[in-house]
Amino acid sequence: MILENVDVVTDISKEDFQKNYFKKHRPLLIKNFASRWDAFDKWNFDFIREKAGDQEVPLYDNKPADASKSSDAPVTHMKMRDYIDTIKSKPSDLRIFFYIITDRLPELLKNFTYPDLGMKFFKRLPTLFFGGSEAHVLMHYDVDLGDFLHIHFEGKKRILLFDQKQSAFLYKVPLSVHTIYELDYENPDYEKFPALKHAKGFEIFMEHGDALFIPGAFWHFNRYLEPGFSMSLRALPNKPNVFASMLYHVFVMRYTDKLMRKVFKAKWVNYKQKWAYKKSSKAMDKYSE
């Protein structure tokens, strides 16, 4: 992989952000972004443990989804307080996916301010994501194709970003928004996945209070280096062509894949993995010509 740094600022005007990042579809890291909130001191594990400790939450791990089950089925459930105690006390790959604040912890909505960056945030879905020190999220792009601001809290986190032009080099699995399961982005095997050497992207390290602008449809791989959690503020696509693509992703591609997975189970999953490898091999051959 060919990785470079994203631009880093401590503050930015709406005009500068729109002109140089949002409209150019270019990621940006804003250091200490959340520290300007009046209630910034409440964005920690202790506050969430106190307010939502009794809630039972679905948990996921680093293993690929079982082919015989839904791709979004959790591996187990746990009380929020027990989950937080677990990831703080020992290495863990357990994570919480898409915890909707408006449904589960609306009190948190009073503890932040939507940034004035010219983005039309979808205020129904501010969401939290949690992870232990060994947790990572498979390389993927979001099915709704929305731009979003990703704000991180507690421990450090590493993120890799790639735009859609790099899909062929990332071993994208057809009819999905993720790459081949066995591809390890922390220790890439370039002999087995040679096309990955040509993928050009960004590497970002986030700390408590940092915010990362991730343009819509960008591939992202998230690795929790320490126990932590993040909040995503989403802006749904408003350009007609992107909105149409979003509808295809959500209502056609996604449900076609679910149906095929339900009918053919592991055969379908394995077929797609092989299909992805062949497509990336062809892309690499063209690149080498």
Side-chain angles (χ1 to χ4, degrees):
M1 295 180 290
I2 304 168
L3 301 175
E4 60 179 275
N5 298 322
V6 297
D7 289 349
V8 180
V9 299
T10 55
D11 197 10
I12 190 169
S13 68
K14 176 170 63 176
E15 293 73 24
D16 188 7
F17 174 76
Q18 284 287 318
K19 177 182 177 181
N20 295 309
Y21 299 97
F22 188 78
K23 292 181 179 179
K24 291 184 178 180
H25 221 55
R26 186 171 180 83
L28 173 71
L29 180 65
I30 309 174
K31 295 293 292 181
N32 299 313
F33 171 84
S35 63
R36 67 198 72 182
W37 296 342
D38 292 339
F40 178 54
D41 62 338
K42 295 181 179 179
W43 287 88
N44 54 58
F45 280 134
D46 291 340
F47 182 84
I48 293 176
R49 187 184 187 281
E50 176 188 349
K51 298 298 181 180
D54 287 332
Q55 292 182 11
E56 186 173 272
V57 291
L59 301 177
Y60 301 81
D61 58 19
N62 291 344
K63 300 181 182 68
D66 188 329
S68 64
K69 301 178 181 179
S70 170
S71 59
D72 52 6
V75 296
T76 189
H77 291 77
M78 192 180 290
K79 294 286 188 182
M80 176 66 88
R81 70 164 56 89
D82 295 331
Y83 169 70
I84 290 176
D85 291 345
T86 296
I87 65 173
K88 288 179 67 176
S89 64
K90 63 183 180 181
S92 173
D93 68 348
L94 291 176
R95 56 187 177 85
I96 299 174
F97 170 76
F98 219 76
Y99 179 95
I100 301 176
I101 297 174
T102 47
D103 295 338
R104 306 299 300 270
L105 193 54
E107 186 173 343
L108 265 183
L109 297 174
K110 299 179 291 185
N111 295 342
F112 75 92
T113 304
Y114 281 94
D116 184 18
L117 294 173
M119 295 175 66
K120 295 182 179 179
F121 292 105
F122 183 41
K123 296 185 178 181
R124 171 66 182 86
L125 280 181
T127 50
L128 297 182
F129 302 83
F130 299 73
S133 61
E134 295 186 345
H136 70 250
V137 182
L138 187 71
M139 180 72 77
H140 70 288
Y141 64 93
D142 290 0
V143 71
D144 64 11
L145 309 183
D147 303 287
F148 63 100
L149 199 67
H150 194 66
I151 309 160
H152 190 62
F153 306 98
E154 293 282 1
K156 296 178 181 178
K157 186 177 190 178
R158 177 179 183 248
I159 295 182
L160 301 180
L161 296 178
F162 298 87
D163 65 30
Q164 281 292 315
K165 295 177 183 177
Q166 306 303 312
S167 295
F169 300 126
L170 295 174
Y171 295 86
K172 178 188 185 300
V173 175
L175 287 179
S176 76
V177 293
H178 62 79
T179 60
I180 286 179
Y181 289 141
E182 59 185 302
L183 210 164
D184 184 351
Y185 286 91
E186 296 183 272
N187 300 287
D189 184 345
Y190 291 127
E191 290 189 7
K192 189 170 185 179
F193 302 104
L196 189 62
K197 289 187 294 185
H198 306 295
K200 297 179 181 179
F202 301 93
E203 180 181 40
I204 304 100
F205 291 92
M206 299 187 71
E207 299 178 307
H208 185 61
D210 291 350
L212 177 64
F213 168 61
I214 302 180
F218 253 63
W219 290 95
H220 45 284
F221 169 84
N222 300 340
R223 170 67 159 89
Y224 294 86
L225 302 175
E226 299 168 337
F229 67 99
S230 304
M231 175 172 66
S232 284
L233 304 177
R234 316 187 69 78
L236 297 182
N238 54 14
K239 294 181 179 179
N241 60 325
V242 181
F243 187 76
S245 182
M246 182 269 285
L247 293 178
Y248 164 76
H249 274 74
V250 173
F251 296 108
V252 179
M253 186 186 79
R254 184 175 175 220
Y255 284 99
T256 298
D257 186 57
K258 279 181 174 290
L259 176 62
M260 296 296 284
R261 190 184 184 98
K262 184 176 182 179
V263 173
F264 297 105
K265 298 182 171 60
K267 288 183 179 180
W268 172 243
V269 174
N270 293 335
Y271 172 74
K272 289 199 303 173
Q273 298 277 309
K274 293 177 182 177
W275 188 3
Y277 191 88
K278 288 180 180 178
K279 290 187 70 173
S280 289
S281 294
K282 288 182 179 178
M284 187 190 64
D285 290 342
K286 290 182 180 179
Y287 181 87
S288 302
E289 289 177 356

PDB file of all heavy atoms in Angstrom, residues 119-130:
ATOM      1  N   MET A 119     -22.316  21.151   6.106  1.00  0.00           N
ATOM      2  CA  MET A 119     -22.833  19.804   5.861  1.00  0.00           C
ATOM      3  C   MET A 119     -24.242  19.704   6.431  1.00  0.00           C
ATOM      4  O   MET A 119     -24.495  20.179   7.543  1.00  0.00           O
ATOM      5  CB  MET A 119     -21.930  18.751   6.515  1.00  0.00           C
ATOM      6  CG  MET A 119     -20.536  18.683   5.939  1.00  0.00           C
ATOM      7  SD  MET A 119     -19.450  17.521   6.848  1.00  0.00           S
ATOM      8  CE  MET A 119     -20.251  15.939   6.508  1.00  0.00           C
ATOM      9  N   LYS A 120     -25.170  19.102   5.691  1.00  0.00           N
ATOM     10  CA  LYS A 120     -26.538  18.927   6.158  1.00  0.00           C
ATOM     11  C   LYS A 120     -26.646  17.571   6.858  1.00  0.00           C
ATOM     12  O   LYS A 120     -26.952  16.549   6.244  1.00  0.00           O
ATOM     13  CB  LYS A 120     -27.515  19.025   4.981  1.00  0.00           C
ATOM     14  CG  LYS A 120     -27.538  20.405   4.343  1.00  0.00           C
ATOM     15  CD  LYS A 120     -28.547  20.484   3.209  1.00  0.00           C
ATOM     16  CE  LYS A 120     -28.566  21.890   2.597  1.00  0.00           C
ATOM     17  NZ  LYS A 120     -29.526  21.992   1.486  1.00  0.00           N
ATOM     18  N   PHE A 121     -26.367  17.577   8.154  1.00  0.00           N
ATOM     19  CA  PHE A 121     -26.324  16.329   8.905  1.00  0.00           C
ATOM     20  C   PHE A 121     -27.708  15.714   9.061  1.00  0.00           C
ATOM     21  O   PHE A 121     -28.704  16.416   9.251  1.00  0.00           O
ATOM     22  CB  PHE A 121     -25.707  16.573  10.286  1.00  0.00           C
ATOM     23  CG  PHE A 121     -24.253  16.925  10.249  1.00  0.00           C
ATOM     24  CD1 PHE A 121     -23.839  18.228  10.469  1.00  0.00           C
ATOM     25  CD2 PHE A 121     -23.302  15.960   9.967  1.00  0.00           C
ATOM     26  CE1 PHE A 121     -22.495  18.558  10.426  1.00  0.00           C
ATOM     27  CE2 PHE A 121     -21.958  16.277   9.915  1.00  0.00           C
ATOM     28  CZ  PHE A 121     -21.546  17.573  10.149  1.00  0.00           C
ATOM     29  N   PHE A 122     -27.747  14.383   8.995  1.00  0.00           N
ATOM     30  CA  PHE A 122     -28.973  13.624   9.206  1.00  0.00           C
ATOM     31  C   PHE A 122     -29.100  13.425  10.716  1.00  0.00           C
ATOM     32  O   PHE A 122     -28.506  12.510  11.288  1.00  0.00           O
ATOM     33  CB  PHE A 122     -28.884  12.290   8.474  1.00  0.00           C
ATOM     34  CG  PHE A 122     -30.136  11.457   8.559  1.00  0.00           C
ATOM     35  CD1 PHE A 122     -31.396  12.029   8.445  1.00  0.00           C
ATOM     36  CD2 PHE A 122     -30.056  10.081   8.731  1.00  0.00           C
ATOM     37  CE1 PHE A 122     -32.545  11.259   8.513  1.00  0.00           C
ATOM     38  CE2 PHE A 122     -31.198   9.299   8.797  1.00  0.00           C
ATOM     39  CZ  PHE A 122     -32.444   9.893   8.688  1.00  0.00           C
ATOM     40  N   LYS A 123     -29.855  14.289  11.385  1.00  0.00           N
ATOM     41  CA  LYS A 123     -29.849  14.356  12.844  1.00  0.00           C
ATOM     42  C   LYS A 123     -30.601  13.209  13.516  1.00  0.00           C
ATOM     43  O   LYS A 123     -30.561  13.087  14.746  1.00  0.00           O
ATOM     44  CB  LYS A 123     -30.383  15.711  13.295  1.00  0.00           C
ATOM     45  CG  LYS A 123     -29.472  16.860  12.853  1.00  0.00           C
ATOM     46  CD  LYS A 123     -29.921  18.202  13.382  1.00  0.00           C
ATOM     47  CE  LYS A 123     -28.946  19.298  12.949  1.00  0.00           C
ATOM     48  NZ  LYS A 123     -29.336  20.635  13.463  1.00  0.00           N
ATOM     49  N   ARG A 124     -31.226  12.365  12.738  1.00  0.00           N
ATOM     50  CA  ARG A 124     -31.861  11.164  13.310  1.00  0.00           C
ATOM     51  C   ARG A 124     -30.814  10.111  13.677  1.00  0.00           C
ATOM     52  O   ARG A 124     -31.057   9.268  14.530  1.00  0.00           O
ATOM     53  CB  ARG A 124     -32.851  10.586  12.279  1.00  0.00           C
ATOM     54  CG  ARG A 124     -33.436   9.219  12.640  1.00  0.00           C
ATOM     55  CD  ARG A 124     -34.332   9.286  13.868  1.00  0.00           C
ATOM     56  NE  ARG A 124     -34.852   7.975  14.226  1.00  0.00           N
ATOM     57  CZ  ARG A 124     -34.217   7.100  15.003  1.00  0.00           C
ATOM     58  NH1 ARG A 124     -33.025   7.401  15.504  1.00  0.00           N
ATOM     59  NH2 ARG A 124     -34.754   5.949  15.306  1.00  0.00           N
ATOM     60  N   LEU A 125     -29.643  10.168  13.066  1.00  0.00           N
ATOM     61  CA  LEU A 125     -28.706   9.054  13.235  1.00  0.00           C
ATOM     62  C   LEU A 125     -27.293   9.422  13.697  1.00  0.00           C
ATOM     63  O   LEU A 125     -26.318   8.954  13.097  1.00  0.00           O
ATOM     64  CB  LEU A 125     -28.594   8.277  11.909  1.00  0.00           C
ATOM     65  CG  LEU A 125     -29.698   7.285  11.585  1.00  0.00           C
ATOM     66  CD1 LEU A 125     -29.399   6.596  10.260  1.00  0.00           C
ATOM     67  CD2 LEU A 125     -29.846   6.245  12.682  1.00  0.00           C
ATOM     68  N   PRO A 126     -27.137  10.216  14.747  1.00  0.00           N
ATOM     69  CA  PRO A 126     -25.796  10.267  15.330  1.00  0.00           C
ATOM     70  C   PRO A 126     -25.550   8.922  16.021  1.00  0.00           C
ATOM     71  O   PRO A 126     -26.395   8.438  16.781  1.00  0.00           O
ATOM     72  CB  PRO A 126     -25.892  11.421  16.333  1.00  0.00           C
ATOM     73  CG  PRO A 126     -27.330  11.511  16.690  1.00  0.00           C
ATOM     74  CD  PRO A 126     -28.095  11.066  15.477  1.00  0.00           C
ATOM     75  N   THR A 127     -24.445   8.288  15.721  1.00  0.00           N
ATOM     76  CA  THR A 127     -24.218   6.927  16.193  1.00  0.00           C
ATOM     77  C   THR A 127     -22.859   6.778  16.867  1.00  0.00           C
ATOM     78  O   THR A 127     -21.900   7.468  16.535  1.00  0.00           O
ATOM     79  CB  THR A 127     -24.298   5.913  15.033  1.00  0.00           C
ATOM     80  OG1 THR A 127     -23.469   6.373  13.953  1.00  0.00           O
ATOM     81  CG2 THR A 127     -25.719   5.786  14.524  1.00  0.00           C
ATOM     82  N   LEU A 128     -22.783   5.831  17.814  1.00  0.00           N
ATOM     83  CA  LEU A 128     -21.537   5.514  18.500  1.00  0.00           C
ATOM     84  C   LEU A 128     -21.032   4.146  18.067  1.00  0.00           C
ATOM     85  O   LEU A 128     -21.809   3.247  17.735  1.00  0.00           O
ATOM     86  CB  LEU A 128     -21.743   5.504  20.017  1.00  0.00           C
ATOM     87  CG  LEU A 128     -22.166   6.804  20.696  1.00  0.00           C
ATOM     88  CD1 LEU A 128     -22.273   6.582  22.202  1.00  0.00           C
ATOM     89  CD2 LEU A 128     -21.191   7.930  20.390  1.00  0.00           C
ATOM     90  N   PHE A 129     -19.706   4.011  18.076  1.00  0.00           N
ATOM     91  CA  PHE A 129     -19.033   2.754  17.784  1.00  0.00           C
ATOM     92  C   PHE A 129     -17.967   2.556  18.866  1.00  0.00           C
ATOM     93  O   PHE A 129     -17.192   3.474  19.139  1.00  0.00           O
ATOM     94  CB  PHE A 129     -18.376   2.792  16.406  1.00  0.00           C
ATOM     95  CG  PHE A 129     -19.340   3.067  15.275  1.00  0.00           C
ATOM     96  CD1 PHE A 129     -19.716   4.367  14.966  1.00  0.00           C
ATOM     97  CD2 PHE A 129     -19.862   2.030  14.526  1.00  0.00           C
ATOM     98  CE1 PHE A 129     -20.601   4.630  13.938  1.00  0.00           C
ATOM     99  CE2 PHE A 129     -20.760   2.276  13.491  1.00  0.00           C
ATOM    100  CZ  PHE A 129     -21.128   3.583  13.199  1.00  0.00           C
ATOM    101  N   PHE A 130     -17.918   1.364  19.474  1.00  0.00           N
ATOM    102  CA  PHE A 130     -16.982   1.072  20.554  1.00  0.00           C
ATOM    103  C   PHE A 130     -16.062  -0.077  20.158  1.00  0.00           C
ATOM    104  O   PHE A 130     -16.457  -0.965  19.392  1.00  0.00           O
ATOM    105  CB  PHE A 130     -17.728   0.642  21.819  1.00  0.00           C
ATOM    106  CG  PHE A 130     -18.678   1.653  22.392  1.00  0.00           C
ATOM    107  CD1 PHE A 130     -19.890   1.938  21.771  1.00  0.00           C
ATOM    108  CD2 PHE A 130     -18.382   2.305  23.581  1.00  0.00           C
ATOM    109  CE1 PHE A 130     -20.787   2.852  22.318  1.00  0.00           C
ATOM    110  CE2 PHE A 130     -19.269   3.225  24.139  1.00  0.00           C
ATOM    111  CZ  PHE A 130     -20.472   3.496  23.505  1.00  0.00           C
TER     112      PHE A 130
END
